Amino acid sequence: MRIAFGIALLVGLAALAVAGTWVWVASDVGAGYAAKVTCSLVFNSGQDPGRVLERYVLPEVAPLGAALDVRVSDDAVEARTLGLRRARAVHRRGLGCTLLPGGESVGAVKLPPRAPRVPWGDPVEPPPLAVEAAIERAFQEPGPGSGVVRNTTAVVVLHDGRLVAERYAPGYGPDVPMLSWSMAKSVLGTLVGVAVAEGRLALHEPAPVPEWRTPGDPRGAITLDQLLRMSSGLAFDETYGPANDVSRMLFTRPDTGAFAAGFPLEAPPDRRWSYSSGTSNILARILRDSFGGDLGTMVRWSRERLFAPAGMTSAFLEPDASGSFIGSSFTFMTARDWARFGELHRRDGVWEGRRVLPEGWVAYVTRPTPTAPEARYGAHWWLWPRELGAYAARGHSGQYTVVVPSARLVVVRLGLSLGDELQHGAHELVTELVRHYASHREGP
C-alpha cells in the first residue's frame, strides 16, 4: 500500500509539474502573441486596437482571453497574462514591430525614405459579372454553426499583368500594408535567391550555421536547398498550439533562428519532408549573418534588390530582437504589392525589362520536392492548386498569393480568418476565376 501510494503521489506531483509548466509557457506565448500581433496590425495596418483584440487576437489565444490585459501606447503594445507574464512589442518606422519577450531593447535604425509608391490605377472597366460574383462570395461568411469566420480583408486579381478587379473590407484599402503570416516564407525564399545570384550565399553547400560546425555534427551537412525544400531532417513541432515549438519560437524568443538551429536531426537530410517555420528562420538568420548582422544594411539591400525594382515599395519584413527577419511569418505589404510579388514570378523574375530574380529561379522554386506529400511543395512555395498548374504563397488565417501561369492570372486573397482553412473560400475563388479567364489569353 505504501509503495502504491508513493508511486501515485509521484505520478500526481509529476502531472502537476507538467501542467504548471504548460500553463507557464502558454501564458508566455499568449502575452507574446497578443503584444506582437496587436502591435503589427495597429501600427502597420492602421487597425483599431479594440477591434483587433475582439475579432482576432482574443479568439486566437482562447481560453487565455479572460486573463489577458493588453495596453497600447504611442509606439508600443504591452500584454500581460495572469497578471504575471509580460511581453512588449515596439514599433519602429520602416521596420514594423519587434517583440521584446524578455525585456530586451532595440535601437533606432537609420533608413532612407522609401521609394515613391508605384501607381497602379483602378481597373479600367468594371469586372465581368462572373468575376464580381466570385469575389462577392469570397467576402461572404459561411454562417452560424460552421465554426469558421472568414474576415476577408482584400481580394486583388491580375490578368495578363493588368489589375482587373479588387475589393477591400472596411478599414482596408489599396494603401494598407497587410499581414503575411507564412506567405513571408516565399518572400524570404526570394531574397535568398537574390543573395545566391550575388554570390552572397551558396545553394548546394553546407549552410553556415554556427551551432552545426562542431566536427561530427550531422547537421553540418544540411544545405540551403534542403532548408528551402523543408527536407533538412531537423526536428520541429509545427502543430499550432499554446506551447509547441513554433509558438514558443515566434512569441517567447528574441532570436528565432538561434532557437530553431538548436534542434537535433530526427531524419537524414533529404529523406523526409516536414513543414517548419523554424527552418525558415534559420535561413533568415543565415541571410542576416551574411550582412554581418547589420539590420539597416540588410533592409536597404532588400529594398534595392527586390522590392523597389518590382514596384513593391510598401513591402518590409519585421525583425526579431536579434535583428533577423522573421522570415517564417511577418512580412507586410499592400494587397496590390502582394499581387506584384506574384506577377514578378509569373513573368519569370523580369519586371519592365529588368531581370530582378536570377534566371531559372522561378523554375527552381516551383519544381516539386520529391519527399513532399503528393509533390505539393517546391522551395518555400506551395504547388497549389496543383490540378490548375498553379503555385502559391500561403499563410495562416487565409493568406494567399496564387499564380496560375496557364490562365495568365494572379489572385491575392487576404484575411484574418478563424477556423478550418478549407472553408476560407480561397480555393473556390481561384477555381472560379481560372474558369472565367482561362479562355481570355490575349496579350503578349
Side-chain angles (χ1 to χ4, degrees):
M1 289 289 291
R2 288 178 180 177
I3 294 174
F5 177 78
I7 293 173
L9 179 60
L10 288 174
V11 170
L13 289 174
L16 285 173
V18 170
T21 300
W22 186 92
V23 170
W24 196 257
V25 173
S27 297
D28 268 347
V29 169
Y33 183 97
K36 174 67 182 71
V37 174
T38 302
C39 182
S40 294
L41 293 177
V42 169
F43 292 109
N44 297 341
S45 300
Q47 299 305 298
D48 175 73
R51 186 178 176 86
V52 167
L53 283 167
E54 178 186 354
R55 296 198 63 187
Y56 189 62
V57 171
L58 292 179
E60 287 277 57
V61 300
L64 288 174
L68 191 64
D69 178 30
V70 180
R71 301 184 182 186
V72 180
S73 64
D74 289 342
D75 62 354
V77 175
E78 183 173 303
R80 293 177 183 266
T81 51
L82 304 175
L84 298 173
R85 311 309 293 159
R86 172 183 175 274
R88 186 167 182 264
V90 297
H91 178 261
R92 291 177 288 173
R93 189 175 181 86
L95 298 173
C97 289
T98 298
L99 180 66
L100 310 175
E104 299 83 4
S105 62
V106 289
V109 176
K110 288 187 177 181
L111 297 172
R114 289 185 181 277
R117 289 283 175 91
V118 177
W120 205 350
D122 296 333
V124 294
E125 56 189 23
L129 291 178
V131 173
E132 204 168 56
I135 294 175
E136 173 66 26
R137 282 189 287 273
F139 277 83
Q140 291 174 352
E141 295 294 341
S146 67
V148 174
V149 179
R150 283 183 176 167
N151 281 339
T152 304
T153 54
V155 171
V156 174
V157 183
L158 305 185
H159 182 241
D160 278 327
R162 296 179 293 112
L163 179 63
V164 295
E166 65 180 341
R167 179 174 167 181
Y168 299 92
Y172 292 86
D175 297 322
V176 175
M178 300 196 195
L179 173 62
S180 66
W181 285 119
S182 285
M183 287 201 303
K185 293 178 172 69
S186 300
V187 177
L188 171 69
T190 304
L191 288 171
V192 168
V194 175
V196 167
E198 294 180 354
R200 186 178 293 278
L201 299 175
L203 194 58
H204 297 288
E205 294 181 7
V209 177
E211 292 87 345
W212 303 348
R213 289 176 181 165
T214 303
D217 190 329
R219 300 174 299 178
I222 297 171
T223 66
L224 259 67
D225 171 68
Q226 291 162 345
L227 291 169
L228 284 165
R229 294 190 173 279
M230 301 291 183
S231 59
S232 68
L234 289 169
F236 195 82
D237 178 10
E238 188 74 18
T239 56
Y240 301 105
N244 63 348
D245 294 340
V246 65
S247 297
R248 289 188 296 130
M249 176 184 67
L250 293 177
F251 304 116
T252 73
R253 293 297 191 272
D255 189 330
T256 55
F259 175 79
F263 283 79
L265 281 181
E266 62 179 12
D270 269 341
R271 296 288 184 84
R272 194 193 71 172
W273 183 87
S274 181
Y275 183 79
S276 165
S277 291
T279 293
S280 299
N281 288 329
I282 293 169
L283 282 166
R285 191 176 68 147
I286 291 170
L287 184 64
R288 178 200 71 187
D289 290 349
S290 76
F291 288 91
D294 189 329
L295 176 59
T297 299
M298 184 169 63
V299 171
R300 288 189 290 272
W301 171 84
S302 69
R303 291 181 182 181
E304 293 168 2
R305 298 294 192 274
L306 175 61
F307 298 141
M312 299 154 53
T313 55
S314 69
F316 59 94
L317 289 86
E318 292 184 309
D320 62 21
S322 77
S324 181
F325 290 149
I326 306 180
S328 66
S329 311
F330 290 111
T331 298
F332 276 80
M333 65 181 90
T334 65
R336 287 183 175 186
D337 280 356
W338 281 113
R340 285 186 173 95
F341 179 61
E343 182 67 10
L344 173 67
H345 284 76
R346 191 187 73 84
R347 297 181 185 183
D348 193 32
V350 176
W351 194 269
E352 295 183 350
R354 174 181 175 179
R355 177 156 288 285
V356 179
L357 305 183
E359 189 169 358
W361 185 255
V362 174
Y364 163 74
V365 299
T366 57
R367 186 170 69 245
T369 295
T371 51
E374 301 178 18
R376 285 187 174 270
Y377 201 79
H380 267 48
W381 281 85
W382 289 94
L383 308 185
W384 177 97
R386 196 172 172 212
E387 61 272 19
L388 299 178
Y391 54 96
R394 294 173 58 185
H396 177 65
S397 292
Q399 321 312 320
Y400 294 87
T401 297
V402 185
V403 183
V404 191
S406 61
R408 307 172 77 95
L409 193 66
V410 173
V411 182
V412 173
R413 185 277 180 193
L414 305 176
L416 298 176
S417 306
L418 303 168
D420 184 357
E421 70 174 36
L422 296 178
Q423 296 187 53
H424 291 166
H427 190 282
E428 292 80 359
L429 172 66
V430 172
T431 301
E432 291 179 36
L433 292 173
V434 168
R435 186 180 298 122
H436 175 81
Y437 282 111
S439 59
H440 294 68
R441 300 185 180 180
E442 71 276 3

